[in-house]
Amino acid sequence: MTDQGDIPDGIPGKPTSASRTTLSHIMTSHDTNLLGTVHGGVIMKLVDDAAGAVAGRHSGGPAVTASMDEMAFLEPVRVGDLLHVKAQVNWTGRSSMEVGVRVMAERWNESTPATQVGSAYLVFAAVDAEGRPRPVPQVIPETEQDKRRNQEAQIRRTHRLARRQAIKELRERRAAEGYED
């Protein structure tokens, strides 16, 4: 299912584990929303931070967030939770990468297992010093789980591109009919 046309020539691939990372942060009262739980925006920033580190590691330089897909908040996060944001590259194209993120929480003072409280998929573009896209190494899935994530990422990419094209066509059709948005 890999589109060989998207793989840059001459750049050696990197295994999934080469850039995988975990960012851990204890949640404090400064992170709360009006309901007294951790603000979703705080979690989203940590997700973007971890994903950005992974994208930069994998691509060997700067990478910028292009989009965030499917940010799901599964459970509330509370003050005193130790949040673990786990990220890895799931798929690579010519200059873009999908990074999958899993957010886990555990009480800072308990020895109970962490619970998954969120997940997201982000697309990053590797850029050069002038901000132009630059090639990235192909990701090499190492485990069956990595292979599944890679295949699912390709499906999400196909859906993103189809959605973008459908919206473009709709806007062009509406403009041709004289509608202003």
Side-chain angles (χ1 to χ4, degrees):
M1 233 166 124
T2 299
D3 180 356
Q4 295 297 323
D6 286 346
I7 299 169
D9 294 329
I11 299 176
K14 286 187 179 179
T16 308
S17 62
S19 57
R20 186 180 290 138
T21 195
T22 300
L23 172 69
S24 296
H25 188 82
I26 192 155
M27 300 288 97
T28 69
S29 59
H30 296 300
D31 301 318
T32 59
N33 59 26
L34 296 174
L35 299 175
T37 56
V38 173
H39 195 290
V42 170
I43 296 169
M44 290 172 73
K45 181 181 183 328
L46 294 171
V47 164
D48 190 47
D49 287 347
V54 166
R57 278 181 172 184
H58 183 82
S59 69
V64 296
T65 310
S67 68
M68 178 183 273
D69 288 355
E70 301 179 38
M71 180 71 215
F73 297 101
L74 306 173
E75 298 285 336
V77 177
R78 303 170 293 153
V79 169
D81 281 351
L82 181 57
L83 214 64
H84 305 289
V85 184
K86 300 171 179 270
Q88 75 172 46
V89 174
N90 290 335
W91 173 89
T92 51
R94 183 165 300 284
S95 62
S96 63
M97 302 157 273
E98 183 195 90
V99 178
V101 180
R102 180 178 298 223
V103 184
M104 308 292 289
E106 62 181 312
R107 294 306 293 169
W108 70 273
N109 60 347
E110 297 175 9
S111 60
T112 55
T115 306
Q116 184 174 355
V117 295
S119 65
Y121 300 102
L122 297 87
V123 176
F124 279 79
V127 295
D128 63 18
E130 288 78 43
R132 292 185 304 252
R134 63 180 175 80
V136 298
Q138 176 186 9
V139 68
I140 302 169
E142 297 172 280
T143 66
E144 286 305 313
Q145 191 174 39
D146 291 341
K147 291 174 186 173
R148 175 189 54 79
R149 288 176 177 157
N150 182 270
Q151 291 172 334
E152 290 173 359
Q154 291 178 58
I155 293 167
R156 282 187 293 275
R157 178 178 185 265
T158 299
H159 287 211
R160 277 191 294 273
L161 294 174
R163 183 177 62 236
R164 185 181 307 151
Q165 183 63 32
I167 290 170
K168 178 183 174 193
E169 290 171 4
L170 174 63
R171 288 179 178 172
E172 288 171 352
R173 190 169 57 248
R174 288 185 52 83
E177 294 170 356
Y179 292 103
E180 292 185 34
D181 288 335

